[in-house]
Amino acid sequence: MDLYALKNEFDQTGIMICFNGPFYHSIIEEIGTAVRNHLAAVNISQGALMDVFAVYIELTHNVRNYITLRGITRPEVASSIITIGRSSNGYEVSSGNIVLNKDAEMVCMRVDEVNAMTQDEVKSQYRKQMRSDVARGALGAGLGFLEIAKRSSEKIKYTAKDLNTTSKFLTLTAFV
Amino acid sequence: MEPVDIKATLSSPAINFDTDNNTLHIRGESYPENSFDFYEPIISWLKTSLQELSEITLDIAITYMNSSSTKCTLDIMDVLEDAHERGVKTCIIWRYDRENPRSYEMAEDFREEVTFSFEIAVLDT
């Protein structure tokens, strides 16, 4: 494997930290700590640092929850990728994982909904959603994308690449 | 009343109840793998304990919480709100991180969710 080429690609695209593989909560914690240490070493405000971290946590928890919810056990399906890197105006955090077509559609619709909101609408929807009941067995409170939007400097981006007739590779990117 | 003493981890806060001052302390960061599983025992404990207490203070210093922890925190505050309506003297001291503007915003947002005493204080680090 040409690690030099891979490293160059990371450097050119601004990727600082990347994890590829099946990830568990302990890995989410460890990489999260690495992200914070890395950002603390550059000249970034504590507020911006925590925004990057928060977006990272919401995206990785999304992926973890999805794998749990769908009972995905095959390592090649559970294997996901997360990157944290510099973008032209700040930082970007991306997650990529395999999802069923219908789930990809649902996520993209939700992102479209949240992207259409102003910051004030995001805040009021957040409060409203916080007050709604969470379905029994649900792993999240339905707040994830709102939380990301609250902390983002740009709209959330997504792409869904067809893998076969039933599933797609879903990439989500948030900018801080 | 059952004692409460949960140790902090990287992703979950320390939680303990000081029986001398009737104060529930929550301190640390909160992004556990499953927030509902993590907070459910505390919410049950709080509901039971508030049947026998005449006053309670929630002293909370969470510098970062993920979105589902936010929901759980609101659930805890709702339990206190119910107790307040029954005549229990309730109070929240919310400690925010001066270095992080979002931390103060979060305190203000939560203050709007309750009708009882909610004090915002600077977190001593």
Side-chain angles (χ1 to χ4, degrees), chain B residues 8-14 26-30 60-65:
Chain B
T9 71
L10 200 57
S11 61
S12 61
I26 306 184
R27 195 177 180 102
E29 296 199 347
S30 185
I60 187 162
I62 299 191
T63 45
Y64 165 68
M65 60 174 92

Side-chain angles (χ1 to χ4, degrees), chain A residues 12 24 57 74 104 120 145 155 165 174:
Chain A
Q12 272 159 26
Y24 303 99
I57 290 293
R74 281 166 54 210
D120 284 347
F145 285 117
K155 300 294 181 190
T165 52

Side-chain angles (χ1 to χ4, degrees), chain A residues 29 36 51 58 127 132, chain B residues 11 29 71 102 112-113:
Chain A
E29 288 180 2
R36 284 163 72 164
D51 283 346
E58 296 301 329
R127 286 188 73 178
S132 26
Chain B
S11 61
E29 296 199 347
K71 167 78 178 161
R102 296 240 186 255
E112 286 177 38
E113 299 293 333

